Amino acid sequence: MKYRLFAVLFILCSSLPFVAAYFLARDPSDPLILRPPFDHHTNYAYVVGVAAGWSEVDDEHGEQSSTIEVYENGVRLGPAHSSVSDVVMIGGGRYRYMEVDSVNHTSGIIFSTSDNTDPNTNGRLYRVFNPNAKKPHQRAPRQTGLPD
């Protein structure tokens, strides 16, 4: 009985960092999290607005200026700079950072999930990073070895 109690306590204590990391990764004040609801564009494509001026946008002429990286549960999606038609028709994690409203000069990401499911209902966490950001925490996901 004494050993069972010890085993239960050991399991609970050893899993605490994973539980804490799970909840900390979903910090509601984290500006890097792409928050639902995501607007369904067509087929596999969804659109979400992001902070303007975070990176140069990819333009409609094929210029690949953006340095934005999109992550799904800590795994980088891609290919980046995909054409809108590829995001819509093929999906598979493709995305593009672009101007979504030329009148108001707002930028956004048109993206697809890794398995073409609906990001509003698949339960996954989407984050955006910029390797060229001035603030270190905005450059890449934390490398803790824990699921992001």
Side-chain angles (χ1 to χ4, degrees), residues 4-14:
R4 285 186 190 168
L5 179 61
F6 177 75
V8 169
L9 286 174
F10 177 77
I11 291 170
L12 288 174
C13 291
S14 62

